[in-house]
Amino acid sequence: MSMKTGEVEVEATGLQVLSKAQAQLPFNIRAHNMPTEAIGLKHRYLQLRYPHLQRNLRLRSQVSKRISDYLQDIHGFVNVNTPTLTRHTSGGSHLFIVPYAAGSSAANVPPPANKCESVNGINAKSTFKSNSGDSRINSSSVLNISSSSSNVRNNDDSGSNSAISIESESMSKYYCLAQSPQTYKQLLMMGGLDKYYQFAVCYRDEKGTPERQPEFMQVDLEMSDVTAEEVQRLVEGMLQYSWPEDCNGGPTPETPFPVMTYSAAMKHYGSDKPDTRFQWLLQDAAAALQEARCGGITALQELISHPQGTATAFVVPTGQKHLSKSACESWNSLASREHGLGGVSVCHVRQDGSLKGSQLATQLNRTGGAKQLLASLGAVPGDTVVVALGPESNVLSCMGKLRLLAAAELEATGVFVRNKQELRFVWVVDFPLFEPGEDGSSLVSVHHPFTQPHPHDAHLLDTDPLKVRSQHYDLVCNGCEVGGGSVRIHDPEMQQRVLGILQLPPGDLQYFVDALAMGTPPHAGIALGFDRLVSLMCGSESIREVIAFPKNSQGHCTMSGAPSDISRELKQRYSIKENS
C-alpha cells in the first residue's frame, strides 16, 4: 500500500461525539478576520488553537530544554529553585507585597481604628533601575510612609491607583514576591554551588508593554571564579546551542557578539539599548554651529556657556519626502515634555543646499553656514537634519528616541530602514556605578548595590563616585534589552562601603554582608529575559505571543478576571480596609 499514514487501513463502523462545541464561538480559528487582542485574551483557551501560537509555545518548550541540556549536561550547572516569598529591604521597584497572618492572634479580631498605614495598591514604589531581570534586588517593598528613604533608581511610575489601609500593629509582617533571585543566587555561591541556574518566575507591579508584564520568566545564571568575558562567552554558546533551526527570528547568530561601551552607546545612539540594524548615528554638531556664526540664537549662546552643554544632530536620508509635518511637530513636544529641552530643529535640505523648516535653518542660510553644517554631517539634498541643543544627558536621551521614531515614520511609508528578519546582538559594558538621585544630593545605584566597581575606578569611590564605572554588562538585541548581569562584590568591606555611599539602612542587608564575611569566592552572573528571547526567536512583536496565559497591557487577566476583589472575611483576616 502507498498510504502516507501507514500500512493498515481502518474501516470505521461507528461514530461517537465525545465533546460538542457551542454553535456560536466568540471567534473562528482562521487566518483572516482574527480577533482583537482584547477578545483573544478573554478567550485565550480558544485563541491558543491558532497554529502560530501552538508553534510559539512548542518552540519555547524546545528552547528551554536545549538551554537546560547546555547548562546542566555540558557545563555542569545545578538547577536550584530559590524562594518566591522574600523579605523587605529598603529598595526594589514596583513590588508586590503579601500580608502575612499565619499564627497571628489578631487574625480574626477587628483591627483598632486608630492605627492606619496607607499602602498604594499593596505595592510601594522604590528604586532599583527597571531594566534587566538581573538588576532586581529580591526584596519586599516598603510602605509609602517610609519609601521616601529609598536610595535606588526607579525609571517608571506605573502601577495600581487603588489604595488600601493596613490597620493593625499586629499585622506588621509582610512578604513580597521576588523580582529576581539576586541575593539568593549569590548566597548559593557562598554555599559552594559554583554553577547555578534556574528558570525563575519573577514579579514586578508595573504596567504592561510589548516587552513587559507583571510576571515574567528569566534564565538566571551565577558562577564562581569567572570573569565578565567568561560569562559572556558562556551565554553566546548557550544561545547558539539552543537556537532553533526553523525559527522566524533568523539564522543562528554569529559569535562573539560585538562589545560597545555605555559611553559610546549614548554618544552614537542616545540609548544604552542601541538598535544597530541601521546607521543614522548621532553626531556632534557644536563645532560646526559655532563656526557657522550662529551665536545670535539664544539656545546656542546657552550651549556655549553651559559646561555640560552640547549640540547633537542626526541625518534622516530622504526624510524631506517621507517625514510628516505632524510627526516633526510632535518631536518638539516630546523634547520639551520628557527631556526639558526647548524643542528640536528639524531642517530639510533643499536641492540648492539651503535649509528650511526651522529658526536654525533660517539662521544658517543667512550666515552661509548651512553647507558647512551639511558637509560635517554628510547630508545631501532631500535629507532631513534633526538638531537638538542643551545639557548633554538630556539631548542624547531625546535624540535617541527621535532616531527610533524617525525610523518608524519612514517604515510606515514603505521605506526600508531596518531588516525585521535580522537580529543584531551587542554587549554594552562599562556602565556608571552610581547616578544622582531625584533630590540632586543623594546617589542611587544604576543597577543594584551588589555590582563590583571597575578596578581602575575603585579609588574614586569616596572622592568622585559619579565617575566610577561598574562591572555590569547588558545583552542587547535590536534595541531591546535581552539580559543583564555583572561581576558581584564578594568582599564584605567593599559591600559595606557601597551601601554606605547609597545611605541604605545597614540592618536590611546585614544577613547578606555577614554571609560575605564567611569566605566568599569571586563570582559573576546574568539573567536573560526568557519571554523576550523566545519572542525574538519567533519574530513576534510582543511577549504575549509566546506566553500561554499572558496579562494585558494593564496587567490584568481578562479571562479569569484577575486581579479581583476578595471577601470581607479575607480582608478582616489581613486587617485590610479599603479607602473610600
Side-chain angles (χ1 to χ4, degrees):
M1 300 178 68
S2 60
M3 296 176 62
K4 294 181 179 180
T5 56
E7 297 180 354
V8 178
E9 183 176 359
V10 177
E11 182 178 349
T13 59
L15 178 66
Q16 179 183 2
V17 177
L18 299 178
S19 180
K20 293 183 179 180
Q22 64 185 49
Q24 294 295 326
L25 296 175
F27 50 85
N28 295 316
I29 307 301
R30 56 192 180 190
H32 62 282
N33 293 334
M34 298 179 71
T36 63
E37 182 178 77
I39 295 175
L41 291 179
K42 184 175 178 61
H43 304 279
R44 183 65 168 182
Y45 43 84
L46 187 60
Q47 189 181 34
L48 285 174
R49 297 179 186 178
Y50 277 103
H52 74 280
L53 292 179
Q54 289 270 326
R55 180 183 177 280
N56 289 354
L57 293 178
R58 295 179 190 280
L59 183 142
R60 179 186 178 114
S61 175
Q62 173 190 344
V63 172
S64 65
K65 181 183 183 302
R66 294 281 290 175
I67 287 175
S68 292
D69 291 345
Y70 180 81
L71 294 175
Q72 195 160 323
D73 297 343
I74 297 178
H75 288 279
F77 277 72
V78 179
N79 187 351
V80 180
N81 296 117
T82 55
T84 296
L85 294 172
T86 65
R87 65 153 288 162
H88 156 254
T89 61
S90 296
S93 173
H94 305 283
L95 306 175
F96 286 101
I97 288 178
V98 182
Y100 176 74
S104 170
S105 61
N108 295 303
V109 178
N114 63 338
K115 303 291 184 182
C116 179
E117 296 175 341
S118 177
V119 183
N120 186 10
I122 320 186
N123 85 306
K125 302 176 181 69
S126 279
T127 52
F128 290 137
K129 181 178 179 183
S130 297
N131 277 345
S132 65
D134 180 79
S135 302
R136 305 293 184 271
I137 181 172
N138 81 31
S139 64
S140 171
S141 182
V142 294
L143 301 182
N144 280 351
I145 57 171
S146 61
S147 63
S148 61
S149 64
S150 172
N151 276 18
V152 259
R153 172 175 167 186
N154 178 20
N155 281 353
D156 304 308
D157 195 27
S158 56
S160 172
N161 292 322
S162 61
I164 65 168
S165 292
I166 306 298
E167 292 196 339
S168 173
E169 286 185 345
S170 62
M171 282 300 304
S172 60
K173 303 295 183 182
Y174 307 92
Y175 290 110
C176 100
L177 299 181
Q179 290 197 329
S180 86
Q182 184 60 51
T183 54
Y184 287 114
K185 62 183 179 181
Q186 291 188 245
L187 291 167
L188 288 172
M189 300 301 103
M190 304 171 199
L193 293 172
D194 61 339
K195 293 181 179 180
Y196 140 90
Y197 88 99
Q198 71 168 313
F199 286 86
V201 179
C202 305
Y203 305 88
R204 188 168 307 116
D205 187 9
E206 61 186 13
K207 189 175 181 179
T209 70
E211 299 176 3
R212 297 182 185 274
Q213 72 158 28
E215 55 186 341
F216 56 95
M217 180 173 286
Q218 63 186 35
V219 184
D220 204 51
L221 312 174
E222 199 77 11
M223 293 179 285
S224 294
D225 300 309
V226 292
T227 64
E229 291 74 18
E230 289 173 317
V231 175
Q232 293 164 14
R233 297 295 85 77
L234 177 92
V235 170
E236 292 168 355
M238 181 182 74
L239 292 178
Q240 283 197 313
Y241 185 87
S242 60
W243 204 266
E245 294 181 358
D246 59 344
C247 73
N248 293 334
T252 303
E254 296 183 1
T255 60
F257 300 150
V259 178
M260 184 183 303
T261 64
Y262 168 84
S263 60
M266 294 303 300
K267 178 180 179 181
H268 298 304
Y269 296 90
S271 172
D272 58 5
K273 298 179 285 292
D275 188 341
T276 59
R277 288 175 295 174
F278 68 113
Q279 290 296 306
W280 303 13
L281 300 183
L282 307 189
Q283 302 181 61
D284 186 358
L289 288 176
Q290 292 179 42
E291 292 175 8
R293 302 183 305 281
C294 294
I297 299 179
T298 303
L300 187 57
Q301 292 176 335
E302 294 177 354
L303 159 69
I304 296 172
S305 61
H306 197 292
Q308 299 298 324
T310 189
T312 298
F314 69 90
V315 178
V316 182
T318 70
Q320 182 174 349
K321 179 181 179 181
H322 300 288
L323 289 175
S324 67
K325 182 178 179 180
S326 60
C328 297
E329 290 175 349
S330 70
W331 296 353
N332 272 304
S333 175
L334 182 146
S336 174
R337 183 180 67 255
E338 298 185 14
H339 301 278
L341 301 176
V344 294
S345 298
V346 181
C347 308
H348 301 298
V349 186
R350 295 189 178 107
Q351 289 300 317
D352 62 359
S354 63
L355 298 173
K356 68 175 183 176
S358 68
Q359 178 190 4
L360 178 63
T362 302
Q363 180 79 355
L364 286 169
N365 290 336
R366 185 179 64 82
T367 63
K371 292 185 178 180
Q372 184 176 348
L373 176 65
L374 298 181
S376 69
L377 298 177
V380 299
D383 291 349
T384 296
V385 177
V386 184
V387 184
L389 301 87
E392 183 178 42
S393 59
N394 302 55
V395 167
L396 292 179
S397 60
C398 176
M399 295 292 272
K401 289 183 180 179
L402 296 186
R403 174 178 175 269
L404 298 178
L405 289 174
E409 184 80 8
L410 262 67
E411 288 170 339
T413 66
V415 177
F416 177 85
V417 180
R418 293 170 290 193
N419 185 350
K420 302 297 184 181
Q421 300 300 318
E422 181 183 20
L423 295 181
R424 287 281 191 93
F425 286 93
V426 59
W427 290 106
V428 181
V429 301
D430 290 349
F431 285 82
L433 186 62
F434 306 112
E435 63 184 354
E438 292 183 359
D439 59 8
S441 59
S442 62
L443 295 179
V444 299
S445 291
V446 170
H447 291 96
H448 59 62
F450 313 114
T451 302
Q452 184 81 263
H454 195 287
H456 295 164
D457 300 341
H459 65 285
L460 299 173
L461 278 171
D462 297 320
T463 58
D464 201 351
L466 287 176
K467 290 186 177 180
V468 178
R469 293 169 295 169
S470 71
Q471 294 190 59
H472 182 92
Y473 36 85
D474 276 351
L475 180 59
V476 175
C477 181
N478 295 1
C480 172
E481 183 183 341
V482 178
S486 65
V487 176
R488 322 298 188 187
I489 297 172
H490 66 276
D491 175 62
E493 293 185 2
M494 175 62 75
Q495 186 66 80
Q496 289 277 36
R497 194 173 170 189
V498 169
L499 294 177
I501 292 172
L502 294 171
Q503 301 176 22
L504 292 174
D508 285 355
L509 290 167
Q510 191 57 51
Y511 75 97
F512 184 77
V513 177
D514 290 343
L516 287 175
M518 303 294 176
T520 301
H523 55 286
I526 193 170
L528 303 177
F530 188 58
D531 307 311
R532 296 184 194 178
L533 179 62
V534 176
S535 68
L536 288 172
M537 292 177 172
C538 294
S540 301
E541 295 293 329
S542 169
I543 62 171
R544 289 190 281 275
E545 293 290 296
V546 300
I547 299 174
F549 298 100
K551 305 295 189 291
N552 65 10
S553 58
Q554 286 74 44
H556 298 165
C557 175
T558 55
M559 180 184 67
S560 66
S564 63
D565 198 3
I566 58 175
S567 68
R568 179 177 299 178
E569 290 76 17
L570 277 175
K571 291 177 183 177
Q572 184 179 25
R573 174 178 175 81
Y574 290 104
S575 302
I576 296 173
K577 178 183 177 182
E578 293 189 19
N579 291 339
S580 58

